[in-house]
Amino acid sequence: MDLQLFSGEKTEKATPKKRQDSRQKGQVSKSAEIPSSLILLSCICFLVMLGPFMEKQLMALVGDAFLHRLTMDVTDSSILALFNHYLIQIMILLAPIFLIVVVVAFASTYVQIGWLFTLKPLEPKFSKLNPLSGAKSIFGPRAIVEFLKSGLKLLVIGLIVYSVLWSEKERLMDLAHLSIPDIFSFVTSITVRLGILIAVVLFVLAIGDFMYQRYEYEKKLRMSKQDIKDEHKNSEGDPLIKGKIKERQRRMALMRMMQEVPSADVVITNPTHFAVALKYDSTKMDAPTVVAKGQDYLALRIREIAKQNDVITMENKPLARALFDKTEVGHSVPADLFQAVAEVLAYVYRLKGRR
């Protein structure tokens, strides 16, 4: 009983086949926090570099509405044309941000799991509708870890915001005495500073989350020794079944070989231990061919079939042993035995009255 329990413990690393099967199902180790933190960081950096240009374009777009569109004729076609014009301009303005989001998300996911396209995770599973399994997922260990992770992120972000704002408390008190452009400039600098700090901290936390996800993934993939044995049986085949198949194939090969004995020209024997049946057709063969061979009981069967079908049997101990060792059924006689075999066939042909 103890041995059975031990063999059922999942203590072994997953085999390549199980890893591949798990990957095909979409079960991989990745952290969703890495793409989100990198997207936040890259978007903030993009706004810092091209913020003035985007501000200029946005102000020009708003200014166009007040300077040139207030006096136009209000019709269905003009309103539709104006809406399409502004929609295209806004899409062009936001297109670089959308492109950055897509590229960063794809690249960060590719670095974690490589290229993978599967629809398995989208397949409906009615087991998810089970209230018991739903309760386990809500109150299970993974849910607790996710709750702690979210709490840690909120705590860290709160500390960052508090520390940054506290360091700028004097300037915050003086905002009432600043002009509107100066206020916007100060708020922008604070926002960028907070965004970069939060993105960097979130990325560091995401690295830790990725390591945890990898640990959980490897733990989930662990196999017992019995699982490895079962997988080996399924992939390689049950040894008992394979043995039966090989035995059946051997019997069928023996039956085919015995069916060729009646067509042989001569059977060379040892005389009791070995028997080799030869056939030669000058119109189809370049050299005599071994159609059957056997040892002990099989040799006896070959001699019996040859006798029943009037196939000449000749005793030649050295030649029978050499043919048995050097040739396979269906193969031609080797060149070093041509002379001895030719003499035997010539003798057989004289007995049969053939040239």
Side-chain angles (χ1 to χ4, degrees), residues 311-322:
V311 178
I312 297 176
T313 301
M314 290 188 60
E315 179 181 340
N316 189 327
K317 296 180 180 180
L319 182 58
R321 183 60 183 263

Side-chain angles (χ1 to χ4, degrees), residues 209-224:
D209 180 64
F210 175 75
M211 297 175 65
Y212 171 76
Q213 298 294 340
R214 174 63 62 88
Y215 168 76
E216 284 291 322
Y217 178 74
E218 293 294 333
K219 183 179 179 181
K220 184 178 179 181
L221 283 184
R222 284 179 187 172
M223 304 172 66
S224 63

Side-chain angles (χ1 to χ4, degrees), residues 250-261:
R250 189 180 68 84
R251 290 181 180 179
M252 293 177 65
L254 288 176
M255 291 176 61
R256 289 194 298 268
M257 185 180 71
M258 291 303 180
Q259 292 173 358
E260 294 292 331
V261 175

Side-chain angles (χ1 to χ4, degrees), residues 58 61-62 64-65 69 78-96 98:
L58 185 61
L61 191 64
V62 175
D64 177 74
R69 306 296 179 177
S78 63
I79 293 297
L80 183 61
L82 180 64
F83 177 78
N84 291 335
H85 171 72
Y86 284 152
L87 180 62
I88 293 174
Q89 294 298 321
I90 292 174
M91 290 178 65
I92 293 175
L93 196 62
L94 297 179
F98 292 151

Side-chain angles (χ1 to χ4, degrees), residues 49-106:
M49 291 185 295
L50 297 181
F53 172 77
M54 295 187 68
E55 180 187 2
K56 182 179 179 181
Q57 293 297 111
L58 185 61
M59 293 300 294
L61 191 64
V62 175
D64 177 74
F66 286 99
L67 296 176
H68 305 99
R69 306 296 179 177
L70 294 179
T71 58
M72 73 175 191
D73 296 332
V74 180
T75 61
D76 293 340
S77 59
S78 63
I79 293 297
L80 183 61
L82 180 64
F83 177 78
N84 291 335
H85 171 72
Y86 284 152
L87 180 62
I88 293 174
Q89 294 298 321
I90 292 174
M91 290 178 65
I92 293 175
L93 196 62
L94 297 179
I97 297 178
F98 292 151
L99 181 62
I100 289 175
V101 170
V102 172
V103 171
V104 172
F106 177 81

Side-chain angles (χ1 to χ4, degrees), residues 164-165 167-168 171-172 185-195:
V164 171
L165 294 180
S167 64
E168 299 290 340
R171 296 185 61 184
L172 286 172
S185 176
F186 173 74
V187 172
T188 301
S189 64
I190 288 292
T191 304
V192 170
R193 183 179 171 187
L194 284 173

Side-chain angles (χ1 to χ4, degrees), residues 165-355:
L165 294 180
W166 185 256
S167 64
E168 299 290 340
K169 60 181 184 299
E170 294 182 358
R171 296 185 61 184
L172 286 172
M173 299 301 295
D174 294 336
L175 287 180
H177 305 288
L178 298 178
S179 61
I180 293 179
D182 293 336
I183 293 175
F184 275 108
S185 176
F186 173 74
V187 172
T188 301
S189 64
I190 288 292
T191 304
V192 170
R193 183 179 171 187
L194 284 173
I196 293 177
L197 287 175
I198 291 173
V200 171
V201 172
L202 288 180
F203 179 73
V204 173
L205 294 178
I207 296 298
D209 180 64
F210 175 75
M211 297 175 65
Y212 171 76
Q213 298 294 340
R214 174 63 62 88
Y215 168 76
E216 284 291 322
Y217 178 74
E218 293 294 333
K219 183 179 179 181
K220 184 178 179 181
L221 283 184
R222 284 179 187 172
M223 304 172 66
S224 63
K225 294 182 179 179
Q226 185 62 39
D227 292 337
I228 296 176
K229 291 180 181 179
D230 293 341
E231 181 185 289
H232 182 73
K233 284 183 179 181
N234 293 332
S235 59
E236 300 294 333
D238 194 331
L240 295 177
I241 297 177
K242 289 177 66 177
K244 291 181 180 180
I245 293 174
K246 288 183 178 180
E247 179 64 21
R248 186 179 181 87
Q249 291 174 345
R250 189 180 68 84
R251 290 181 180 179
M252 293 177 65
L254 288 176
M255 291 176 61
R256 289 194 298 268
M257 185 180 71
M258 291 303 180
Q259 292 173 358
E260 294 292 331
V261 175
S263 64
D265 293 321
V266 63
V267 175
I268 303 174
T269 64
N270 195 21
T272 57
H273 294 294
F274 300 100
V276 180
L278 300 177
K279 180 179 180 180
Y280 179 59
D281 186 349
S282 60
T283 61
K284 299 180 181 179
M285 303 175 184
D286 296 330
T289 301
V290 176
V291 295
K293 71 173 187 176
Q295 184 178 4
D296 297 331
Y297 172 75
L298 195 56
L300 177 62
R301 288 289 300 144
I302 292 174
R303 293 198 301 271
E304 290 176 352
I305 296 174
K307 184 178 180 181
Q308 294 170 3
N309 293 273
D310 297 327
V311 178
I312 297 176
T313 301
M314 290 188 60
E315 179 181 340
N316 189 327
K317 296 180 180 180
L319 182 58
R321 183 60 183 263
L323 288 172
F324 184 85
D325 291 338
K326 293 184 178 182
T327 59
E328 296 294 336
V329 176
H331 293 187
S332 300
V333 172
D336 58 337
L337 298 178
F338 277 177
Q339 182 65 31
V341 172
E343 293 176 359
V344 171
L345 290 177
Y347 175 74
V348 171
Y349 292 159
R350 284 198 299 271
L351 293 178
K352 292 183 178 181
R354 289 172 53 185
R355 294 183 59 185

